[in-house]
Amino acid sequence: MNNWPLKIHYKNQPPNYKHMVGEVVITLFCTALLLVPFMLTPNSKLVGTHTQLSLPPCFFHYITGIPCPFCGMTTSFALIVRGDLVHAWVANPWGPLFYLSLLVMNFIYAFSILKKRPIRIELQLSPLYIVIALLTLWSVKLLSWYFLH
């Protein structure tokens, strides 16, 4: 019995145009998310790097004074591509995990496109587990933020 929460299914049917376009779009989106951090300079405060992309500051952080669960994600990505994994983790513990997930997903979809074998990826996790993981890593971020500020 396979208890792995991620399942990849190769379909035994010839690829159709609609399916391949979807895979190309996903691959291009993942590639953009993986490459954009190379063009950014990580903010020394470990949050706010996304403003270099003309995005507004985090509203949650602005109102509450504490970082939201996603604060520091862009900074984390920018630090990852520079090889600074420790500060990337401090900027946002989700960052290295999410970047690695994007990298793996990009390779899986690129392989599917090159082999012309449609795939379907299923993540079989309860939403409760995802929420618990998000809250746990947000707590880690808040602790590091508290001790650094």
Side-chain angles (χ1 to χ4, degrees), residues 19 43 49 54 64 72 132:
H19 190 84
N43 190 321
T49 302
S54 299
T64 65
I132 290 170

Side-chain angles (χ1 to χ4, degrees), residues 58 60-61 66-72 92 138 141-142:
C58 175
F60 182 88
H61 191 199
I66 61 172
C68 78
F70 305 104
C71 278
N92 192 318
W138 187 28
K141 175 165 181 55
L142 289 175

Side-chain angles (χ1 to χ4, degrees), residues 34 73 76-77 80 85 88-89 92-105 133-134 136-137:
L34 293 167
M73 186 70 78
S76 181
F77 276 29
I80 289 166
L85 298 180
W89 177 266
N92 192 318
W94 275 105
L97 301 171
F98 189 55
Y99 195 86
L100 180 62
S101 299
L102 283 172
L103 194 60
V104 169
M105 194 165 70
L134 178 67
T136 301
L137 290 176

Side-chain angles (χ1 to χ4, degrees), residues 2-9 94 97-98 101-102 104-105 108-109 119-131 133:
N2 185 359
N3 291 329
W4 188 249
L6 182 69
K7 299 202 183 314
I8 301 170
H9 304 280
W94 275 105
L97 301 171
F98 189 55
S101 299
L102 283 172
V104 169
M105 194 165 70
I108 290 170
Y109 275 109
I119 62 168
R120 181 178 53 138
I121 298 177
E122 289 180 35
L123 182 61
Q124 298 177 332
L125 283 177
S126 162
L128 179 63
Y129 291 145
I130 295 170
V131 169

